Amino acid sequence: MAALLIGLSLVVVTSRSVFRSAIALTAALGVVAGLFALLGADFVAAGQLLIYVGGIMIIMLFAIMFSHRPAVGLDRQTNDQWLWGALFALAVACGLIVQFRAVYRGVFSTTVSMPTTISIGRLLLGDMVVPFEAISLVLLAALVGAVYFGMDYEERL
């Protein structure tokens, strides 16, 4: 899955078509959700799918479709310093690999972790129910404000 994620990420940054980049980004974010699920973080995986793959990518695709650009958009997606960026990314990756090997040597086990959604659900609907509902009211007020400011001036009066 990590190799698939790297391949999809390379397609995102090297593709000349904006639409193909958006589709590859959708697939890459789905693979990230799969990695979270494999690590036992099922709540984060579901959030990744709902928020990023389901929400943000739909917004991005609507923006691409409503823009008056050709469907194949052959704009250049890289700049003149791509080599320096690739070398820097390789150096960071090598440093991270060395650090992870030093820190996590022999730490991993094969035990199965318990689902996290049960404990998060009990926390949100138990001790934290008042702050959870307060946040929902703040988000509702922000949504009403966004609709209000999105209307024409004459419609507001």
Side-chain angles (χ1 to χ4, degrees):
M1 288 187 80
L4 180 64
L5 179 61
I6 290 171
L8 287 168
S9 301
L10 287 174
V11 170
V12 170
V13 297
T14 60
S15 178
R16 289 182 173 260
S17 171
V18 177
F19 187 72
R20 286 186 187 134
S21 291
I23 295 299
L25 183 59
T26 303
L29 291 173
V31 171
V32 168
L35 287 173
F36 282 136
L38 285 177
L39 292 172
D42 51 349
F43 184 78
V44 179
Q48 174 82 15
L49 284 175
L50 289 173
I51 294 169
Y52 288 108
V53 177
I56 293 175
M57 293 313 300
I58 294 297
I59 291 171
M60 182 182 282
L61 290 178
F62 273 114
I64 290 169
M65 284 190 263
F66 286 134
S67 67
H68 298 289
R69 299 187 59 188
V72 181
L74 298 176
D75 293 340
R76 185 174 174 201
Q77 298 291 324
T78 59
N79 60 17
D80 294 332
Q81 298 189 6
W82 67 270
L83 182 63
W84 291 108
L87 290 174
F88 180 74
L90 182 66
V92 168
C94 289
L96 286 173
I97 289 170
V98 167
Q99 289 299 317
F100 284 146
R101 292 180 103 195
V103 171
Y104 293 111
R105 182 164 288 152
V107 173
F108 295 111
S109 66
T110 58
T111 60
V112 177
S113 62
M114 297 299 294
T116 58
T117 52
I118 296 170
S119 58
I120 291 174
R122 285 186 180 147
L123 182 67
L124 285 178
L125 297 176
D127 295 339
M128 301 301 242
V129 71
V130 174
F132 182 68
E133 292 300 325
I135 288 173
S136 68
L137 290 175
V138 169
L139 289 174
L140 179 65
L143 179 65
V144 170
V147 169
Y148 178 75
F149 285 120
M151 294 182 342
D152 289 334
Y153 182 73
E154 290 83 22
E155 291 178 11
R156 288 188 219 167
L157 299 175

